[in-house]
PDB file of all heavy atoms in Angstrom:
ATOM      1  N   MET A 261     -27.516  22.783  69.305  1.00 97.00           N
ATOM      2  CA  MET A 261     -28.409  24.028  69.340  1.00 97.00           C
ATOM      3  C   MET A 261     -29.682  23.648  68.565  1.00 97.00           C
ATOM      4  O   MET A 261     -29.550  23.172  67.484  1.00 97.00           O
ATOM      5  CB  MET A 261     -27.755  25.210  68.765  1.00 97.00           C
ATOM      6  CG  MET A 261     -28.681  26.467  68.665  1.00 97.00           C
ATOM      7  SD  MET A 261     -27.801  27.932  67.970  1.00 97.00           S
ATOM      8  CE  MET A 261     -27.027  28.454  69.457  1.00 97.00           C
ATOM      9  N   PHE A 268     -29.058  21.551  65.419  1.00 98.00           N
ATOM     10  CA  PHE A 268     -27.889  21.912  64.745  1.00 98.00           C
ATOM     11  C   PHE A 268     -26.657  21.492  65.482  1.00 98.00           C
ATOM     12  O   PHE A 268     -26.472  21.898  66.679  1.00 98.00           O
ATOM     13  CB  PHE A 268     -27.753  23.430  64.485  1.00 98.00           C
ATOM     14  CG  PHE A 268     -28.786  23.878  63.433  1.00 98.00           C
ATOM     15  CD1 PHE A 268     -30.115  24.081  63.752  1.00 98.00           C
ATOM     16  CD2 PHE A 268     -28.378  24.221  62.118  1.00 98.00           C
ATOM     17  CE1 PHE A 268     -31.070  24.543  62.845  1.00 98.00           C
ATOM     18  CE2 PHE A 268     -29.340  24.648  61.215  1.00 98.00           C
ATOM     19  CZ  PHE A 268     -30.644  24.804  61.571  1.00 98.00           C
ATOM     20  N   THR A 270     -23.231  22.141  66.196  1.00 94.00           N
ATOM     21  CA  THR A 270     -22.464  23.274  65.869  1.00 94.00           C
ATOM     22  C   THR A 270     -20.974  23.127  65.972  1.00 94.00           C
ATOM     23  O   THR A 270     -20.182  24.037  65.721  1.00 94.00           O
ATOM     24  CB  THR A 270     -22.893  24.480  66.853  1.00 94.00           C
ATOM     25  OG1 THR A 270     -22.764  24.060  68.221  1.00 94.00           O
ATOM     26  CG2 THR A 270     -24.315  24.951  66.660  1.00 94.00           C
ATOM     27  N   GLN A 271     -20.494  21.914  66.299  1.00 93.00           N
ATOM     28  CA  GLN A 271     -19.132  21.595  66.263  1.00 93.00           C
ATOM     29  C   GLN A 271     -18.860  20.629  64.996  1.00 93.00           C
ATOM     30  O   GLN A 271     -19.545  19.668  64.807  1.00 93.00           O
ATOM     31  CB  GLN A 271     -18.755  20.838  67.481  1.00 93.00           C
ATOM     32  CG  GLN A 271     -18.845  21.731  68.764  1.00 93.00           C
ATOM     33  CD  GLN A 271     -17.807  22.796  68.777  1.00 93.00           C
ATOM     34  OE1 GLN A 271     -16.727  22.709  68.305  1.00 93.00           O
ATOM     35  NE2 GLN A 271     -18.212  24.003  69.320  1.00 93.00           N
ATOM     36  N   CYS A 396     -30.577  33.241  69.386  1.00 98.00           N
ATOM     37  CA  CYS A 396     -30.229  34.521  68.767  1.00 98.00           C
ATOM     38  C   CYS A 396     -28.942  34.478  68.201  1.00 98.00           C
ATOM     39  O   CYS A 396     -28.007  33.805  68.560  1.00 98.00           O
ATOM     40  CB  CYS A 396     -30.395  35.610  69.793  1.00 98.00           C
ATOM     41  SG  CYS A 396     -29.354  35.340  71.207  1.00 98.00           S
ATOM     42  N   CYS A 397     -28.681  35.301  67.185  1.00 98.00           N
ATOM     43  CA  CYS A 397     -27.360  35.591  66.619  1.00 98.00           C
ATOM     44  C   CYS A 397     -27.073  37.100  66.983  1.00 98.00           C
ATOM     45  O   CYS A 397     -27.775  37.967  66.581  1.00 98.00           O
ATOM     46  CB  CYS A 397     -27.376  35.412  65.116  1.00 98.00           C
ATOM     47  SG  CYS A 397     -25.742  35.661  64.388  1.00 98.00           S
ATOM     48  N   LEU A 398     -25.991  37.300  67.688  1.00 98.00           N
ATOM     49  CA  LEU A 398     -25.610  38.600  68.194  1.00 98.00           C
ATOM     50  C   LEU A 398     -24.410  39.032  67.478  1.00 98.00           C
ATOM     51  O   LEU A 398     -23.328  38.463  67.601  1.00 98.00           O
ATOM     52  CB  LEU A 398     -25.442  38.602  69.716  1.00 98.00           C
ATOM     53  CG  LEU A 398     -26.605  37.929  70.439  1.00 98.00           C
ATOM     54  CD1 LEU A 398     -26.262  37.910  71.950  1.00 98.00           C
ATOM     55  CD2 LEU A 398     -27.977  38.785  70.221  1.00 98.00           C
ATOM     56  N   ASP A 432     -26.879  30.249  77.516  1.00 98.00           N
ATOM     57  CA  ASP A 432     -25.729  30.108  76.713  1.00 98.00           C
ATOM     58  C   ASP A 432     -25.972  29.298  75.402  1.00 98.00           C
ATOM     59  O   ASP A 432     -25.365  29.626  74.305  1.00 98.00           O
ATOM     60  CB  ASP A 432     -24.619  29.468  77.443  1.00 98.00           C
ATOM     61  CG  ASP A 432     -23.909  30.452  78.437  1.00 98.00           C
ATOM     62  OD1 ASP A 432     -24.115  31.709  78.189  1.00 98.00           O
ATOM     63  OD2 ASP A 432     -23.112  30.065  79.272  1.00 98.00           O
ATOM     64  N   GLU A 433     -26.663  28.237  75.544  1.00 98.00           N
ATOM     65  CA  GLU A 433     -26.899  27.333  74.404  1.00 98.00           C
ATOM     66  C   GLU A 433     -27.832  27.963  73.287  1.00 98.00           C
ATOM     67  O   GLU A 433     -28.064  27.257  72.296  1.00 98.00           O
ATOM     68  CB  GLU A 433     -27.468  25.936  74.869  1.00 98.00           C
ATOM     69  CG  GLU A 433     -28.822  25.979  75.518  1.00 98.00           C
ATOM     70  CD  GLU A 433     -28.822  26.287  77.046  1.00 98.00           C
ATOM     71  OE1 GLU A 433     -27.743  26.761  77.531  1.00 98.00           O
ATOM     72  OE2 GLU A 433     -29.804  25.769  77.635  1.00 98.00           O
ATOM     73  N   ARG A 434     -28.286  29.139  73.588  1.00 98.00           N
ATOM     74  CA  ARG A 434     -29.107  29.834  72.559  1.00 98.00           C
ATOM     75  C   ARG A 434     -28.371  31.017  71.883  1.00 98.00           C
ATOM     76  O   ARG A 434     -29.033  31.850  71.279  1.00 98.00           O
ATOM     77  CB  ARG A 434     -30.445  30.290  73.232  1.00 98.00           C
ATOM     78  CG  ARG A 434     -31.246  29.108  73.587  1.00 98.00           C
ATOM     79  CD  ARG A 434     -32.620  29.581  74.134  1.00 98.00           C
ATOM     80  NE  ARG A 434     -33.500  28.440  74.422  1.00 98.00           N
ATOM     81  CZ  ARG A 434     -34.367  28.280  75.489  1.00 98.00           C
ATOM     82  NH1 ARG A 434     -34.440  29.303  76.324  1.00 98.00           N
ATOM     83  NH2 ARG A 434     -35.139  27.290  75.613  1.00 98.00           N
ATOM     84  N   ILE A 435     -27.098  31.097  72.024  1.00 98.00           N
ATOM     85  CA  ILE A 435     -26.319  32.230  71.525  1.00 98.00           C
ATOM     86  C   ILE A 435     -25.417  31.856  70.484  1.00 98.00           C
ATOM     87  O   ILE A 435     -24.624  30.967  70.515  1.00 98.00           O
ATOM     88  CB  ILE A 435     -25.555  32.987  72.654  1.00 98.00           C
ATOM     89  CG1 ILE A 435     -26.562  33.507  73.760  1.00 98.00           C
ATOM     90  CG2 ILE A 435     -24.667  34.038  72.087  1.00 98.00           C
ATOM     91  CD1 ILE A 435     -25.815  34.106  74.957  1.00 98.00           C
ATOM     92  N   ILE A 436     -25.523  32.639  69.309  1.00 98.00           N
ATOM     93  CA  ILE A 436     -24.569  32.535  68.182  1.00 98.00           C
ATOM     94  C   ILE A 436     -23.884  33.969  68.140  1.00 98.00           C
ATOM     95  O   ILE A 436     -24.539  34.995  68.383  1.00 98.00           O
ATOM     96  CB  ILE A 436     -25.201  32.195  66.790  1.00 98.00           C
ATOM     97  CG1 ILE A 436     -25.922  30.859  66.918  1.00 98.00           C
ATOM     98  CG2 ILE A 436     -24.250  32.304  65.687  1.00 98.00           C
ATOM     99  CD1 ILE A 436     -26.994  30.672  65.823  1.00 98.00           C
ATOM    100  N   LEU A 437     -22.578  34.015  67.905  1.00 98.00           N
ATOM    101  CA  LEU A 437     -21.848  35.290  67.661  1.00 98.00           C
ATOM    102  C   LEU A 437     -21.538  35.494  66.180  1.00 98.00           C
ATOM    103  O   LEU A 437     -21.180  34.532  65.543  1.00 98.00           O
ATOM    104  CB  LEU A 437     -20.624  35.358  68.520  1.00 98.00           C
ATOM    105  CG  LEU A 437     -20.816  35.226  70.070  1.00 98.00           C
ATOM    106  CD1 LEU A 437     -19.409  35.335  70.722  1.00 98.00           C
ATOM    107  CD2 LEU A 437     -21.754  36.365  70.508  1.00 98.00           C
ATOM    108  N   ASP A 438     -21.574  36.719  65.791  1.00 98.00           N
ATOM    109  CA  ASP A 438     -21.195  37.171  64.425  1.00 98.00           C
ATOM    110  C   ASP A 438     -20.201  38.374  64.513  1.00 98.00           C
ATOM    111  O   ASP A 438     -20.445  39.217  65.164  1.00 98.00           O
ATOM    112  CB  ASP A 438     -22.487  37.669  63.734  1.00 98.00           C
ATOM    113  CG  ASP A 438     -22.325  38.114  62.287  1.00 98.00           C
ATOM    114  OD1 ASP A 438     -21.115  38.296  61.869  1.00 98.00           O
ATOM    115  OD2 ASP A 438     -23.290  38.273  61.595  1.00 98.00           O
ATOM    116  N   LEU A 460     -12.152  34.351  68.042  1.00 97.00           N
ATOM    117  CA  LEU A 460     -13.447  34.515  68.619  1.00 97.00           C
ATOM    118  C   LEU A 460     -14.063  33.182  69.284  1.00 97.00           C
ATOM    119  O   LEU A 460     -14.988  33.158  69.981  1.00 97.00           O
ATOM    120  CB  LEU A 460     -14.547  34.911  67.601  1.00 97.00           C
ATOM    121  CG  LEU A 460     -14.208  36.367  66.982  1.00 97.00           C
ATOM    122  CD1 LEU A 460     -15.266  36.760  65.977  1.00 97.00           C
ATOM    123  CD2 LEU A 460     -13.862  37.427  68.049  1.00 97.00           C
ATOM    124  N   ASN A 461     -13.286  32.133  69.013  1.00 96.00           N
ATOM    125  CA  ASN A 461     -13.730  30.848  69.710  1.00 96.00           C
ATOM    126  C   ASN A 461     -13.486  30.862  71.253  1.00 96.00           C
ATOM    127  O   ASN A 461     -13.903  30.015  71.914  1.00 96.00           O
ATOM    128  CB  ASN A 461     -12.869  29.656  69.080  1.00 96.00           C
ATOM    129  CG  ASN A 461     -13.336  29.368  67.572  1.00 96.00           C
ATOM    130  OD1 ASN A 461     -14.438  29.704  67.203  1.00 96.00           O
ATOM    131  ND2 ASN A 461     -12.389  28.841  66.848  1.00 96.00           N
ATOM    132  N   PHE A 463     -14.838  32.584  73.228  1.00 97.00           N
ATOM    133  CA  PHE A 463     -16.058  32.786  73.941  1.00 97.00           C
ATOM    134  C   PHE A 463     -16.851  31.476  74.079  1.00 97.00           C
ATOM    135  O   PHE A 463     -17.731  31.303  74.962  1.00 97.00           O
ATOM    136  CB  PHE A 463     -16.953  33.777  73.290  1.00 97.00           C
ATOM    137  CG  PHE A 463     -16.401  35.110  73.319  1.00 97.00           C
ATOM    138  CD1 PHE A 463     -15.931  35.779  72.204  1.00 97.00           C
ATOM    139  CD2 PHE A 463     -16.309  35.841  74.549  1.00 97.00           C
ATOM    140  CE1 PHE A 463     -15.360  37.031  72.223  1.00 97.00           C
ATOM    141  CE2 PHE A 463     -15.796  37.190  74.562  1.00 97.00           C
ATOM    142  CZ  PHE A 463     -15.372  37.690  73.451  1.00 97.00           C
ATOM    143  N   GLY A 464     -16.574  30.518  73.256  1.00 97.00           N
ATOM    144  CA  GLY A 464     -17.199  29.145  73.400  1.00 97.00           C
ATOM    145  C   GLY A 464     -18.611  29.128  72.695  1.00 97.00           C
ATOM    146  O   GLY A 464     -19.325  28.066  72.900  1.00 97.00           O
ATOM    147  N   TYR A 465     -18.941  30.168  71.942  1.00 98.00           N
ATOM    148  CA  TYR A 465     -20.169  30.124  71.215  1.00 98.00           C
ATOM    149  C   TYR A 465     -20.039  29.765  69.768  1.00 98.00           C
ATOM    150  O   TYR A 465     -19.011  30.101  69.243  1.00 98.00           O
ATOM    151  CB  TYR A 465     -20.973  31.487  71.429  1.00 98.00           C
ATOM    152  CG  TYR A 465     -21.272  31.892  72.801  1.00 98.00           C
ATOM    153  CD1 TYR A 465     -20.541  32.855  73.449  1.00 98.00           C
ATOM    154  CD2 TYR A 465     -22.301  31.354  73.434  1.00 98.00           C
ATOM    155  CE1 TYR A 465     -20.789  33.222  74.769  1.00 98.00           C
ATOM    156  CE2 TYR A 465     -22.613  31.634  74.757  1.00 98.00           C
ATOM    157  CZ  TYR A 465     -21.819  32.589  75.379  1.00 98.00           C
ATOM    158  OH  TYR A 465     -22.121  32.963  76.743  1.00 98.00           O
ATOM    159  N   PRO A 466     -21.076  29.211  69.086  1.00 98.00           N
ATOM    160  CA  PRO A 466     -20.943  29.023  67.627  1.00 98.00           C
ATOM    161  C   PRO A 466     -20.765  30.422  66.895  1.00 98.00           C
ATOM    162  O   PRO A 466     -21.290  31.427  67.478  1.00 98.00           O
ATOM    163  CB  PRO A 466     -22.333  28.435  67.268  1.00 98.00           C
ATOM    164  CG  PRO A 466     -22.877  27.911  68.501  1.00 98.00           C
ATOM    165  CD  PRO A 466     -22.383  28.775  69.670  1.00 98.00           C
ATOM    166  N   ILE A 467     -20.090  30.373  65.890  1.00 98.00           N
ATOM    167  CA  ILE A 467     -19.813  31.669  65.137  1.00 98.00           C
ATOM    168  C   ILE A 467     -20.470  31.600  63.794  1.00 98.00           C
ATOM    169  O   ILE A 467     -20.411  30.577  63.059  1.00 98.00           O
ATOM    170  CB  ILE A 467     -18.324  31.849  64.806  1.00 98.00           C
ATOM    171  CG1 ILE A 467     -17.505  31.826  66.193  1.00 98.00           C
ATOM    172  CG2 ILE A 467     -17.996  33.112  64.090  1.00 98.00           C
ATOM    173  CD1 ILE A 467     -17.866  33.025  67.164  1.00 98.00           C
ATOM    174  N   LEU A 468     -21.103  32.653  63.422  1.00 98.00           N
ATOM    175  CA  LEU A 468     -21.685  32.834  62.024  1.00 98.00           C
ATOM    176  C   LEU A 468     -20.932  33.860  61.257  1.00 98.00           C
ATOM    177  O   LEU A 468     -20.610  34.971  61.837  1.00 98.00           O
ATOM    178  CB  LEU A 468     -23.160  33.320  62.197  1.00 98.00           C
ATOM    179  CG  LEU A 468     -23.988  33.669  60.793  1.00 98.00           C
ATOM    180  CD1 LEU A 468     -25.430  33.245  60.995  1.00 98.00           C
ATOM    181  CD2 LEU A 468     -23.791  35.066  60.367  1.00 98.00           C
ATOM    182  N   GLY A 503     -13.666  26.899  61.522  1.00 97.00           N
ATOM    183  CA  GLY A 503     -14.600  26.321  62.459  1.00 97.00           C
ATOM    184  C   GLY A 503     -15.859  27.015  62.756  1.00 97.00           C
ATOM    185  O   GLY A 503     -16.601  26.743  63.721  1.00 97.00           O
ATOM    186  N   CYS A 504     -16.239  27.901  61.761  1.00 98.00           N
ATOM    187  CA  CYS A 504     -17.613  28.593  61.919  1.00 98.00           C
ATOM    188  C   CYS A 504     -18.640  27.613  61.797  1.00 98.00           C
ATOM    189  O   CYS A 504     -18.672  26.643  61.035  1.00 98.00           O
ATOM    190  CB  CYS A 504     -17.648  29.695  60.924  1.00 98.00           C
ATOM    191  SG  CYS A 504     -16.619  31.087  61.106  1.00 98.00           S
ATOM    192  N   SER A 505     -19.788  27.860  62.532  1.00 98.00           N
ATOM    193  CA  SER A 505     -20.902  26.880  62.548  1.00 98.00           C
ATOM    194  C   SER A 505     -21.946  27.318  61.470  1.00 98.00           C
ATOM    195  O   SER A 505     -22.718  26.417  61.009  1.00 98.00           O
ATOM    196  CB  SER A 505     -21.644  26.985  63.855  1.00 98.00           C
ATOM    197  OG  SER A 505     -20.698  26.540  64.896  1.00 98.00           O
ATOM    198  N   PHE A 506     -21.925  28.574  61.002  1.00 98.00           N
ATOM    199  CA  PHE A 506     -22.924  29.048  59.995  1.00 98.00           C
ATOM    200  C   PHE A 506     -22.236  30.079  59.078  1.00 98.00           C
ATOM    201  O   PHE A 506     -21.352  30.752  59.484  1.00 98.00           O
ATOM    202  CB  PHE A 506     -24.077  29.790  60.665  1.00 98.00           C
ATOM    203  CG  PHE A 506     -24.836  28.952  61.649  1.00 98.00           C
ATOM    204  CD1 PHE A 506     -24.373  28.897  63.048  1.00 98.00           C
ATOM    205  CD2 PHE A 506     -25.935  28.254  61.325  1.00 98.00           C
ATOM    206  CE1 PHE A 506     -25.112  28.159  63.969  1.00 98.00           C
ATOM    207  CE2 PHE A 506     -26.639  27.507  62.251  1.00 98.00           C
ATOM    208  CZ  PHE A 506     -26.276  27.450  63.563  1.00 98.00           C
TER     209      PHE A 506
END
Side-chain angles (χ1 to χ4, degrees):
M261 171 178 285
F268 289 79
T270 56
Q271 297 291 324
C396 57
C397 181
L398 306 177
D432 280 347
E433 63 268 26
R434 291 185 176 143
I435 296 173
I436 300 165
L437 297 180
D438 178 345
L460 301 183
N461 293 333
F463 294 109
Y465 298 103
I467 303 295
L468 177 148
C504 290
S505 301
F506 302 88

